[in-house]
Structure formats: structure tokens, C-alpha cells
Amino acid sequence: MKTLLSATGEPGSHEPVPPALRLHGVHKRFGKTEILRGVDLRVARGERHAIIGPNGAGKSTLFDLISGRQPPSSGRIELNGRDVAGRRPFDINRLGLARSFQITNLFARMSVFENLRCATLYALGYRYSFWRRLSRLRDAAERADAVLHEIGLQQRRDAVAGTLTYAEQRALEIGITIAGGADVILLDEPTAGMSRSESDRAAALIRRISEGRTLLMVEHDMSVVFELAERITVLVQGRVIASDTPAGVRADRGVQQAYLGDAFSEVEGTGA
């Protein structure tokens, strides 16, 4: 007699493991203006998944809905099988999802280390307490130092965050995103405003930090998208027009006509 296995390989379970993220028929309207029009999306656990599309396609609005900054007008959003549509951002964060933003969002007058240490506190079980000295929280310090090495900023540990270069600030923001221990990471245009060499370093960093985690990113740099993503969803005018492997997206004539165009040709020319 054969032993039944779950999707995780554990015996005795008949329940399949849900994807990290699943969206069913998600709509978002602002008054009479419809931004998202029935978005369906599935992101498997441990997958690096990119969302691309022209400006105004609804990509950042979609991130706002997933991370709880705005509620959907209708539809269902599941995080590891739990419906989180309409929940507050900190509730969703505590369920294991963290997000970075297009605009760098740091404590500019605090050091790199202090920014990361603050990001670790809730995940380590600490709550607000005015009499507790952060310097005595050894586990928070150890976690912050581990993330410092993970993002390659150990040499900038005591630098004030506001004095970092733009690329270093983006790396620090990614560090803050992962410092709380989230297993689903949303990165919103992580290489925006970077030079080619900075983008290459950022892509290498994203590849490292996404190991063992689920990554969903919005990105306009097609070379970064095709280098990192295992699956790509194309959003145009609030609708998904394709969701496939990078090879499938390259070959999709509808995607080329609706979005990629010159950007697609540039990626082809680089051999990405």
C-alpha cells in the first residue's frame, strides 16, 4: 500500500500546500475609474515572480492591495492560504509579508545598524516598552548584524542612513524588508534610478536575499526582470494579459505588441 504524501513531502496529509500568494478576480475602483479589472494571480512558494507593464497599468495599486495599504473593491487575496483582503498592513506583515516602496523610506538620522535593529523587534517578540534599552537586546543586535552581512553593508554599519549613496539606501531598505523574518517579499521597482552597474549589483543582492523566500517584484528594467524572474505576469490597463515563464513571455506576440516593444528588442540584444 502506497503512503500518501502532501505537497511538502510529509506523509499522512491529503491537503495540498497553498501558494504563497493567490488573487481571485481582484478589482479596484476609485469612484468611477476602474484601475484593476479582475486580476487573477498565483505565486508559488519560493518563486521569484515579476509583474511588468506600462505606466498606469495598475502595478503599484496591486501592491497596495496585497500589502493592505488599500482594500480591494472586490475579489479575494490569499497569503499562504489565508484571506487578507482588506486587512491592515501591520496585520498582513505579521502573517509573513513585507514590502519595499518605490521611494526610499528610512530613518535618515539613525545608523544603518539601528534601522535594521528596529526592523527586527516585533518578529523577535518585543513590544513597545519605554524602559527597555535596545542596547541590551542581544538577539536583535545579532539579527541586525546578520542582515548587514546579507546585504553587503557591514562596512557601513555605523554610518547615518541619510548619508548613504542612493544604491546603498535601496540595499538598506531591502535589508529592512527581510529583517523582520517575512517569507513573502514585495519589491516595488528596486532598481529604479540606478546606473547599469548599480542595477547589476542590486540584481545580485535580490537573488541572494530571495533564496528560501517568495519574491514578487514590480520592475521596469527588462534585463533585471529576465535575469531574476522564474515567472512573469504582464499587466496592461488593469488586466493580466499573460502569465508565463520568461521564455513564454518573450514569445507572446500579444505581450510584445501591448508592452515590450523596444524594451523587448533591447533585452534580446543583450542576450538576457
Side-chain angles (χ1 to χ4, degrees):
M1 181 176 178
K2 293 183 179 179
T3 301
L4 292 174
L5 298 180
S6 70
T8 60
E10 295 296 326
S13 174
H14 297 270
E15 293 296 325
V17 175
L21 282 169
R22 179 180 285 163
L23 278 63
H24 305 266
V26 171
H27 289 257
K28 182 62 181 178
R29 291 178 292 274
F30 294 98
K32 294 182 179 180
T33 304
E34 194 167 26
I35 306 299
L36 297 174
R37 309 178 185 192
V39 171
D40 293 318
L41 177 68
R42 186 184 190 279
V43 181
R45 295 191 183 202
E47 181 177 74
R48 290 194 298 268
H49 196 122
I51 298 177
I52 65 173
N55 290 331
K59 303 182 299 296
S60 290
T61 298
L62 185 65
F63 264 31
D64 283 348
L65 269 55
I66 295 171
S67 60
R69 296 194 78 206
Q70 299 177 33
S73 300
S74 60
R76 185 176 176 89
I77 301 172
E78 296 176 3
L79 172 64
N80 293 321
R82 301 181 66 172
D83 186 7
V84 296
R87 289 202 185 201
R88 293 171 294 184
F90 62 83
D91 287 330
I92 296 174
N93 177 260
R94 291 167 186 174
L95 292 174
L97 182 143
R99 175 192 177 178
S100 75
F101 291 83
Q102 292 180 19
I103 300 173
T104 303
N105 191 18
L106 305 170
F107 293 112
R109 296 183 180 180
M110 293 169 59
S111 72
V112 171
F113 171 78
E114 289 167 338
N115 269 271
L116 291 171
R117 181 172 58 184
C118 285
T120 70
L121 296 178
Y122 191 90
L124 292 173
Y126 297 112
R127 304 297 181 263
Y128 176 74
S129 175
F130 65 86
W131 63 80
R132 180 184 289 124
R133 297 189 63 177
L134 288 178
S135 60
R136 295 178 179 174
L137 304 182
R138 183 174 178 179
D139 52 353
E142 290 175 349
R143 173 65 180 154
D145 277 325
V147 175
L148 266 175
H149 283 77
E150 195 170 358
I151 62 176
L153 288 181
Q154 58 269 32
Q155 301 302 318
R156 303 287 274 157
R157 182 185 191 276
D158 298 317
V160 175
T163 67
L164 300 179
T165 67
Y166 175 72
E168 288 173 336
Q169 288 184 1
R170 297 298 282 177
L172 176 55
E173 186 170 26
I174 290 173
I176 290 171
T177 304
I178 66 173
D183 57 4
V184 179
I185 307 298
L186 274 57
L187 300 182
D188 198 350
E189 298 193 31
T191 69
M194 293 186 184
S195 67
R196 182 74 270 151
S197 61
E198 289 172 336
S199 291
D200 290 343
R201 288 193 293 272
L205 169 60
I206 293 167
R207 183 179 292 279
R208 286 201 309 275
I209 65 97
S210 61
E211 290 294 331
R213 299 182 176 98
T214 302
L215 171 68
L216 181 63
M217 68 175 181
V218 166
E219 181 57 63
H220 281 291
D221 187 329
M222 290 298 100
S223 62
V224 172
V225 169
F226 282 101
E227 176 186 348
L228 288 176
E230 297 163 317
R231 195 166 186 87
I232 300 171
T233 292
V234 185
L235 194 65
V236 175
Q237 295 182 344
R239 292 188 174 94
V240 172
I241 66 167
S243 190
D244 205 341
T245 63
V249 168
R250 286 177 188 272
D252 191 308
R253 296 300 300 174
V255 172
Q256 295 173 33
Q257 293 170 4
Y259 173 54
L260 288 176
D262 293 337
F264 179 82
S265 299
E266 291 170 6
V267 173
E268 287 287 282
T270 66

